[in-house]
């Protein structure tokens, strides 16, 4: 229209001129009209395209909104998935070289993006609002509304800026290098950088504990020191890399950080299970008062605290919190009473923050420690002075972090681990309050205790005790979430031998996930043991080096008696990095799973010493095996490699015994224990030990079992005939893992029955007494007809001292650690001697005939040809 108007003015100006100008003016007018027609056609075409696009987009948008209303995250998931697949396809088409690992990296980022896009129910309102805004922006652009376009661009810029700011803030606060996906366009490769395990150390002022109510902490991120553990980079090597020992454990700097020995997801993906030890129990002597005082926060972690999620306004005033549980965002938490606490915050101790989704949950203990103290009729779980090692259930801190719903399925299926490295992590933030000393009924939750607590929350904590921000709190950060245990440590030989075959591994993972979902058990009976190639006796006086020889014989025997699978927690690395039992376990592919477990025992003193021994590594290994693998077996046998659970005449396997035991409603089958004696006839006594080993006694020898003799045969000599009465309080057991909540070396310490409160018992119409009957659903095996345990604990050179003199006299024979068996046809009162290697000795022990006649020949054959 502007061009036509201009030409009209030109024509009017030259209308009186000669014909030449008129012709030129007419020609110019024609050109203008022609160009105008072209422009109109172009504009009409654009309009038609726009209408078609808008019409199609409205149909697509309606369908999109329908899908989004049904599943807000599904659309985003599909778009992300398609984008990643397009990038992989583009790389293949362009011929760019990309490794399988890099493809996995892209898929890894796909998984992370999918998880990040998963919206929980609590986010639906926000998602709907975002979609409404998006819809308006789309309509504005389609209408070619420049104002709407600018607004949409500005909105997108703000979103991008917020995301960048959040990423930078996380990087600054945690010091981590976040995992980023670089879309592989034009052959650009994907790089994934791993998060580092860290511990943030917060200063502790125990003098604040004396102030009532407890002062609010005002710690700042700048005041925290940071420990980084770069070596923690593999799920299968997690136990070797985890900072447990004295020079690494952050617990030694900040005792509110739990002394973690193991961490893993449960098979259903619903929890992250932690196995930690009580560090204060490592040094408990009378002269260790300062150390015990320093480690008081470690015992506080065993006691629950109630909390409530809150929101603070700009003036740090509390306002109503509308956030739901498991949602993304920085919650604030207030110490409160049981009645005022959030439902999931009534009994907790840790805030669990999951990455990269940043969702938060609250921990739960596997059982209430103070309540178990009440059921055991003890006066306190802990004492301020630290003389409480006899409360063996307080040795081990067992707790779980609930997994947000949006992450459970991926964890259950094992999808979150790429190339043996986790893509999901959890931060563990302890809630820091002083320990409660005194009666176990001081502060119990309502579900377990219906009487009024004597501990006053308002007096102790105040009404407005708000915890600091997570970033300002001491914590464990970037704890890797690996696969469920049967995926991380597969039983099957085919999977163990083809770890690099992704198809085989994935198929196995899916089978394990399906097995768990069905509720089935993979095994009837498994065995767990903590052992090493070399070890020191309690007190560290003597080193024993027969671990490999013992283990092979023990494994062959357990396969003979029907144990389905054995889990070996190999502690050899605590003595030497070069030492291992792998050469033995490799002889049993598909039957044995070896887990490298180099954690050191924190105190190897004897149990009756002033500074009592605490075999922390063993206790943690027992719990790890029970919680990791016990869930997949009906029965679990807990024993050492010098302990043989031997079926007697009427049974050919342990499974046969357990089938009969099942009929009796028995959940724990105990085996009586008493150390047996090595039989003199099997040892070389001609080469005495050195004078240094034997001190002043020259008649000693090195009690080494010959290669062609088994420990089962060499040590088959008990001090009594069955049923034995002179026993040690150190029985071993086969038990149902679903019944036992804590097993402490010899005893089923906490069970589902002992952890049950009166209210729950009444609902189940069960009788309930404050003091729990520890022998309920428990019995000892009948040693005359069912089975017996032969404890073949090795003796060392010093213990053979004066063996010849002691066995040569009737009055001293029982004091000898070396055994001479009574003839089967003899009576206990007979005054006789037994000829061994040309000399006569007084007998002092009894063989188990069925072992010598039945099981020893079987084991000898298995040692030569294998037990299958």
């Amino acid at each position: 229209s502007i061009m036509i108007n201009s030409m009209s003015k030109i024509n009017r100006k030259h209308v009186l001129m000669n014909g030449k100008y008129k012709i030129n003016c007419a020609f110019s007018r024609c050109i203008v009209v022609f160009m105008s027609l072209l422009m109109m056609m172009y504009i009409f075409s654009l309009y038609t395209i726009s209408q078609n696009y808008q019409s199609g987009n409205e149909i697509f948008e309606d369908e999109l909104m329908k899908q989004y209303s049904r599943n807000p995250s599904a659309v985003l998931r599909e778009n992300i998935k398609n984008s990643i697949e397009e990038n992989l396809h583009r790389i293949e088409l362009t011929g760019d070289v990309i490794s399988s690992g890099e493809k996995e990296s892209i898929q890894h980022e796909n998984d992370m993006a999918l998880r990040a896009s998963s919206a929980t129910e609590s986010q639906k309102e926000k998602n709907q609002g975002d979609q409404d805004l998006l819809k308006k922006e789309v309509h504005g652009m389609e209408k070619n509304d420049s104002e709407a376009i600018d607004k949409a661009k500005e909105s997108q810029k703000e979103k991008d800026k917020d995301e960048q700011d959040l990423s930078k803030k996380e990087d600054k606060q945690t010091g981590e290098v976040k995992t980023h996906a670089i879309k592989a366009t034009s052959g650009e490769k994907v790089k994934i950088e791993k998060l580092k395990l860290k511990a943030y150390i917060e200063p502790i002022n125990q003098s604040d504990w004396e102030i009532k109510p407890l002062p609010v902490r005002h710690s700042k991120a700048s005041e925290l020191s940071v420990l980084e553990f770069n070596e923690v980079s593999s799920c299968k090597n997690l136990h070797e890399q985890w900072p447990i020992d004295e020079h690494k454990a952050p617990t030694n700097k900040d005792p509110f950080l739990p002394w973690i020995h193991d961490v893993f997801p449960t098979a259903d993906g619903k929890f992250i299970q932690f196995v930690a030890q009580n560090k204060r129990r490592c040094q408990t002597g009378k002269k260790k008062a300062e150390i015990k005082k320093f480690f008081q926060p470690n015992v506080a972690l065993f006691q629950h605290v109630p909390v409530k999620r809150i929101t603070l306004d700009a003036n740090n005033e509390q306002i109503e919190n509308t956030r739901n549980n498991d949602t993304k965002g920085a919650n604030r938490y207030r110490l409160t009473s049981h009645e005022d606490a959030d439902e999931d915050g009534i009994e907790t101790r840790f805030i669990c923050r999951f990455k990269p989704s940043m969702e938060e949950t609250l921990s739960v203990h596997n059982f209430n420690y103070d309540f178990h103290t009440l059921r055991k009729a003890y006066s306190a779980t802990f004492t301020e002075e630290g003389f409480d090692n006899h409360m063996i259930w307080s040795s081990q801190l067992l707790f779980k972090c609930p997994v947000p719903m949006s992450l459970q399925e991926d964890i259950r299926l094992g999808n979150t681990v790429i190339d043996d490295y986790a893509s999901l992590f959890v931060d563990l933030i302890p809630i820091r309050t002083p320990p409660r000393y005194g009666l176990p009924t001081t502060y119990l939750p309502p579900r377990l205790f219906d009487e009024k607590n004597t501990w006053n929350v308002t007096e102790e904590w105040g009404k407005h005790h708000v915890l600091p921000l997570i970033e300002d709190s001491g914590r464990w950060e970037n704890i890797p979430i690996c696969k469920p245990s049967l995926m991380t440590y597969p039983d099957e030989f085919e999977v163990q031998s083809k770890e690099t075959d992704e198809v085989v591994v994935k198929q196995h993972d899916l089978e394990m996930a399906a097995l768990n979902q069905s509720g089935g058990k993979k095994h009837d009976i498994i065995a767990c043991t903590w052992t090493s190639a070399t070890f020191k006796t309690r007190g560290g006086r003597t080193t024993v080096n027969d671990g490999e020889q013992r283990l092979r014989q023990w494994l062959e025997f357990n396969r003979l008696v029907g144990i389905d699978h054995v889990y070996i927690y190999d502690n050899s690395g605590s003595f030497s990095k070069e030492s291992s039992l792998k050469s033995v376990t490799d002889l049993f592919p598909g039957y044995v799973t070896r887990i490298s477990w180099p954690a050191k025992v924190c105190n190897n003193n004897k149990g009756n010493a002033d500074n009592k021994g605490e075999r922390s590594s063993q206790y943690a290994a027992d719990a790890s095996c029970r919680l990791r693998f016990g869930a997949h077996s009906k029965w679990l046998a807990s024993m050492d490699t010098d302990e043989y659970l031997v079926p007697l005449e009427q049974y050919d396997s342990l499974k046969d015994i357990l089938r009969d035991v099942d009929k009796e409603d028995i959940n724990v089958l105990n085996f009586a224990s008493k150390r047996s004696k090595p039989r003199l006839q099997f040892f070389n006594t001609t080469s005495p030990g050195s004078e240094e080993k034997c001190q002043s006694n020259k008649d000693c020898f090195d009690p080494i079992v010959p290669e062609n003799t088994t420990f089962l045969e060499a040590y088959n000599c008990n001090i009594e005939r069955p049923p034995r009465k002179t026993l040690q309080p150190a029985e071993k057991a086969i038990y149902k893992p679903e019944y036992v909540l804590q097993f402490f070396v010899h005893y089923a310490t906490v069970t589902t029955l002992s952890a049950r409160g009166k209210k729950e018992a009444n609902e189940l119409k069960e009788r309930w007494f404050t003091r729990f009957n520890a022998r309920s659903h428990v019995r000892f095996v009948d040693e005359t007809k069912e089975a017996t345990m032969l404890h073949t604990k090795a003796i060392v050179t010093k213990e053979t001292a004066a063996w010849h003199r002691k066995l040569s006299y009737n009055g001293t024979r029982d004091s000898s650690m070396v055994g001479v068996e009574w003839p089967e046809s003899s009576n206990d009162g007979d005054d006789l001697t037994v000829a061994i290697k040309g000399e006569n000795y007084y007998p002092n022990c009894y063989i188990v005939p069925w072992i010598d006649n039945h099981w020893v020949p079987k084991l000898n054959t298995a040692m030569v040809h294998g037990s299958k």
Side-chain angles (χ1 to χ4, degrees):
S1 62
I2 295 173
M3 292 176 64
I4 292 172
N5 189 38
S6 300
M7 293 307 300
S8 298
K9 292 180 180 179
I10 294 173
N11 290 339
R12 285 194 296 272
K13 182 176 179 181
H14 297 286
V15 71
L16 298 176
M17 294 185 178
N18 58 34
K20 183 178 179 179
Y21 281 102
K22 287 182 179 180
I23 293 173
N24 289 340
C25 290
F27 181 70
S28 299
R29 191 179 296 111
C30 290
I31 292 174
V32 170
V33 171
F34 179 72
M35 291 178 65
S36 299
L37 288 173
L38 287 176
M39 292 183 68
M40 290 173 67
M41 291 174 65
Y42 177 69
I43 292 169
F44 181 76
S45 298
L46 290 178
Y47 175 79
T48 303
I49 292 171
S50 174
Q51 289 299 311
N52 290 337
Y53 173 79
Q54 183 172 350
S55 175
N57 208 47
E58 286 175 351
I59 296 172
F60 170 77
E61 181 184 285
D62 289 342
E63 183 61 28
L64 181 70
M65 291 305 173
K66 288 177 182 178
Q67 294 180 25
Y68 203 95
S69 64
R70 289 193 298 267
N71 189 348
S73 63
V75 177
L76 296 179
R77 285 173 177 265
E78 189 63 28
N79 290 344
I80 293 168
K81 180 179 178 183
N82 291 338
S83 175
I84 298 294
E85 289 177 351
E86 276 184 71
N87 290 326
L88 287 171
H89 184 59
R90 188 179 295 113
I91 291 170
E92 292 172 358
L93 290 177
T94 57
D96 291 315
V97 178
I98 181 168
S99 67
S100 61
E102 291 166 333
K103 286 184 180 180
E104 290 174 359
S105 296
I106 295 174
Q107 187 59 46
H108 162 70
E109 279 307 316
N110 182 19
D111 293 340
M112 292 185 68
L114 293 178
R115 286 190 294 274
S117 70
S118 297
T120 59
E121 290 299 319
S122 61
Q123 289 175 300
K124 283 185 177 180
E125 186 175 348
K126 179 180 182 301
N127 288 335
Q128 186 61 48
D130 290 344
Q131 285 304 303
D132 292 340
L133 177 60
L134 177 62
K135 188 172 182 179
K136 291 178 182 178
E137 292 172 354
V138 170
H139 281 307
M141 288 187 284
E142 289 167 354
K143 293 177 181 179
N144 202 23
D145 187 338
S146 60
E147 182 179 348
I149 293 173
D150 292 341
K151 183 178 180 180
K153 287 182 177 179
E154 188 64 31
S155 175
Q156 187 61 43
K157 284 181 180 179
E158 290 179 2
K159 290 178 181 177
D160 292 342
K161 184 176 183 301
D162 290 343
E163 290 177 359
Q164 292 173 6
D165 290 344
L166 178 61
S167 177
K168 290 178 181 178
K169 183 178 181 181
E170 282 184 316
D171 289 344
K172 181 178 179 181
Q173 290 170 344
T174 65
E176 70 193 56
V177 181
K178 291 198 66 180
T179 304
H180 294 288
I182 304 171
K183 291 186 178 180
T185 54
S186 303
E188 190 175 5
K189 296 182 179 181
V190 172
K191 180 182 180 182
I192 295 179
E193 299 183 45
K194 301 172 182 178
L195 303 187
K196 297 177 182 178
L197 177 69
K198 297 181 180 181
Y200 286 77
I201 309 302
E202 181 178 338
I204 301 172
N205 185 1
Q206 291 191 15
S207 61
D208 286 347
W209 298 356
E210 300 172 6
I211 304 172
K212 307 295 181 185
L214 182 69
V216 174
R217 289 159 40 227
H218 297 287
S219 56
K220 297 296 179 184
S222 58
E223 300 170 358
L224 309 179
S225 57
V226 185
L227 301 178
E228 295 187 357
F229 306 99
N230 301 329
E231 65 274 16
V232 180
S233 59
S234 164
C235 282
K236 291 187 177 179
N237 298 318
L238 191 67
H239 304 117
E240 296 179 64
Q241 300 169 346
W242 195 267
I244 296 173
D245 294 336
E246 293 296 324
H247 65 289
K248 290 184 178 180
T251 308
N252 290 343
K253 297 181 182 296
D254 182 351
F256 268 116
L257 299 182
W259 191 28
I260 297 171
H261 281 59
D262 200 6
V263 54
F264 50 91
T266 55
D268 57 11
K270 294 182 179 180
F271 296 94
I272 306 301
Q273 176 69 59
F274 289 85
V275 176
Q277 292 300 122
N278 182 350
K279 196 68 168 66
R280 192 173 74 153
R281 289 173 63 100
C282 293
Q283 303 293 335
T284 58
K286 295 177 181 178
K287 297 181 179 180
K288 306 291 183 179
E290 288 301 315
I291 295 176
K292 289 186 285 186
K293 181 180 179 181
F294 174 80
F295 278 113
Q296 283 188 100
N298 221 231
V299 303
L301 301 178
F302 286 74
Q303 299 172 324
H304 77 281
V305 291
V307 297
K308 183 178 181 63
R309 294 174 179 84
I310 63 169
T311 301
L312 300 180
D313 61 18
N315 298 319
N316 281 333
E317 296 292 331
Q318 179 182 336
I319 58 177
E320 183 179 356
N321 188 359
T322 57
R323 291 193 187 99
N324 294 322
N325 301 346
D326 300 354
T327 57
K328 182 176 178 179
N331 284 309
R332 297 299 296 273
Y333 300 87
R334 175 172 60 82
L335 297 177
T336 187
S337 64
H338 292 130
E339 294 73 20
D340 191 42
D342 290 337
E343 184 177 356
D344 64 333
I346 296 174
E347 298 177 69
T348 190
R349 178 49 80 168
F350 300 93
I351 302 166
C352 311
R353 181 174 69 178
F354 290 79
K355 291 179 176 178
S357 68
M358 306 305 284
E359 293 166 277
E360 296 172 13
T361 64
L362 294 170
S363 72
V364 291
H365 289 100
N366 287 36
F367 55 89
N368 189 291
Y369 288 86
D370 282 335
F371 182 69
H372 186 72
T373 301
L374 173 67
R375 299 299 309 274
K376 293 288 286 185
Y378 280 79
S379 59
T381 309
F382 303 105
T383 65
E384 192 167 0
E385 299 77 18
F387 299 119
D388 45 38
N389 276 34
H390 55 289
M391 267 79 84
I392 55 178
W393 54 94
S394 69
S395 170
Q396 199 163 78
L397 176 62
L398 303 176
F399 64 95
K400 299 177 285 190
C401 282
V403 175
M405 287 287 293
S406 61
L407 307 178
Q408 290 179 10
E409 186 69 1
D410 279 340
I411 292 175
R412 183 182 75 84
L413 295 174
N415 292 338
T416 64
V417 175
I418 310 285
D419 290 335
D420 194 35
Y421 192 80
S423 63
L424 291 183
F425 303 84
V426 62
D427 299 341
L428 197 63
I429 304 93
I431 299 172
R432 297 170 181 252
T433 62
R436 298 186 291 268
Y437 298 116
L439 295 173
T441 55
T442 298
Y443 197 57
L444 289 174
R447 71 177 181 88
L448 296 174
F449 192 66
D450 53 7
E451 297 180 27
K452 187 176 181 180
N453 289 297
T454 59
W455 202 76
N456 189 302
V457 172
T458 304
E459 180 182 332
E460 297 291 337
W461 294 335
K463 294 183 178 180
H464 306 288
H465 191 116
V466 179
L467 304 180
L469 289 167
I470 289 178
E471 288 73 16
D472 295 327
S473 304
R475 62 195 182 276
W476 278 101
E477 190 157 280
N478 301 332
I479 297 171
I481 300 175
C482 298
K483 292 182 181 182
S485 297
L486 287 186
M487 300 178 191
T488 304
Y489 301 104
D491 292 355
E492 295 78 5
F493 168 67
E494 294 78 7
V495 182
Q496 291 176 347
S497 62
K498 296 181 180 180
E499 290 183 350
T500 56
D501 191 328
E502 296 176 8
V503 176
V504 172
V505 172
K506 187 60 183 176
Q507 180 61 32
H508 171 266
D509 290 353
L510 291 174
E511 290 173 359
M512 293 303 100
L515 176 67
N516 173 71
Q517 200 167 36
S518 70
K521 301 292 184 182
K522 187 173 186 181
H523 300 299
D524 289 326
I525 178 173
I526 62 172
C528 295
T529 194
W530 171 84
T531 187
S532 64
T534 301
F535 69 92
K536 289 184 178 295
T537 58
R538 282 189 178 270
R541 296 179 299 172
T542 308
T543 300
V544 180
N545 300 303
D546 61 6
E548 293 185 40
Q549 182 187 8
R550 275 190 176 276
L551 180 61
R552 189 189 167 197
Q553 296 178 20
W554 185 81
L555 289 171
E556 291 286 10
F557 179 81
N558 281 318
R559 189 152 61 175
L560 285 171
V561 297
I563 289 179
D564 295 324
H565 198 85
V566 179
Y567 294 92
I568 302 295
Y569 279 67
D570 186 356
N571 192 234
S572 303
S574 67
F575 299 95
S576 168
K577 292 183 179 179
E578 289 72 36
S579 181
S580 161
L581 292 169
K582 190 175 184 300
S583 61
V584 178
T585 58
D586 283 350
L587 299 174
F588 299 85
Y591 180 67
V592 175
T593 297
R594 172 185 167 272
I595 298 170
S596 182
W597 188 267
K600 294 181 179 180
V601 168
C602 72
N603 187 331
N604 199 35
N605 288 343
K606 290 186 175 182
N608 57 1
D610 169 55
N611 189 24
K612 299 182 187 302
E614 180 75 1
R615 308 194 82 176
S616 52
S617 177
Q618 179 182 6
Y619 307 155
D622 288 349
S624 171
C625 193
R626 175 175 55 81
L627 292 167
R628 277 183 175 273
F629 308 111
H632 309 288
S633 181
K634 188 174 181 180
W635 294 92
L636 188 155
S638 177
M639 53 187 165
D640 298 329
T641 57
D642 60 3
E643 295 167 330
Y644 289 80
L645 308 185
V646 185
L648 296 180
E649 285 90 337
Q650 71 182 77
Y651 295 101
D652 197 45
S653 76
L654 293 172
K655 289 182 181 178
D656 294 338
I657 299 173
L658 295 175
R659 272 193 285 270
D660 286 349
V661 169
D662 257 339
K663 300 172 185 177
E664 306 173 41
D665 192 25
I666 294 297
N667 295 326
V668 180
L669 185 64
N670 285 328
F671 289 74
S673 176
K674 183 67 176 180
R675 187 174 178 177
S676 63
K677 294 188 177 187
R679 297 156 76 177
L680 178 62
Q681 61 177 303
F682 292 106
F683 293 86
N684 180 7
T685 62
T686 58
S687 300
S690 67
E691 185 173 349
E692 180 183 352
K693 289 183 179 179
C694 299
Q695 299 172 354
S696 60
N697 301 293
K698 299 298 178 66
D699 57 338
C700 66
F701 61 91
D702 291 327
I704 300 173
V705 176
E707 290 186 6
N708 62 346
T709 304
T710 63
F711 286 91
L712 184 68
E713 183 177 22
Y715 278 80
N716 180 22
C717 214
N718 290 320
I719 65 170
E720 290 180 281
R721 285 192 173 105
R724 295 175 291 173
K725 297 179 181 179
T726 306
L727 300 168
Q728 294 171 306
E731 62 261 28
K732 290 303 172 71
I734 301 177
Y735 62 86
K736 292 181 178 179
E738 63 185 19
Y739 175 73
V740 176
L741 300 180
Q742 187 192 55
F743 194 88
F744 187 84
V745 187
H746 307 290
Y747 316 107
T749 313
V750 185
T751 67
T752 56
L753 204 58
S754 69
R756 188 172 295 164
K758 186 176 181 180
K759 289 181 180 178
E760 185 180 356
N762 290 338
E763 291 172 359
L764 297 172
K765 298 181 179 180
E766 294 178 348
R767 297 183 67 186
W768 189 91
F769 300 96
T770 302
R771 183 160 188 172
F772 173 66
N773 178 12
R775 293 303 176 187
S776 179
H777 301 283
V778 178
R779 78 164 172 87
F780 275 82
V781 71
D782 187 337
E783 288 193 317
T784 63
K785 60 182 181 181
E786 288 182 324
T788 188
M789 183 173 80
L790 188 69
H791 190 180
T792 68
K793 184 175 181 179
I795 67 169
V796 296
T797 301
K798 292 178 181 179
E799 293 172 309
T800 69
W803 69 270
H804 187 278
R805 177 176 57 81
K806 290 177 180 179
L807 291 174
S808 298
Y809 294 94
N810 187 12
T812 58
R813 58 182 171 182
D814 290 338
S815 65
S816 173
M817 296 289 288
V818 181
V820 175
E821 63 267 27
W822 284 85
E824 288 188 51
S825 59
S826 64
N827 296 315
D828 291 354
D830 292 346
D831 185 12
L832 56 81
T833 59
V834 177
I836 298 177
K837 298 178 182 179
E839 294 197 46
N840 293 326
Y841 302 100
Y842 283 94
N844 61 357
C845 58
Y846 305 85
I847 66 168
V848 179
W850 189 246
I851 292 179
D852 265 13
N853 300 332
H854 180 76
W855 289 113
V856 168
K858 276 195 167 188
L859 181 56
N860 288 338
T861 301
M863 291 298 295
V864 177
H865 303 292
S867 54
K868 284 192 176 181

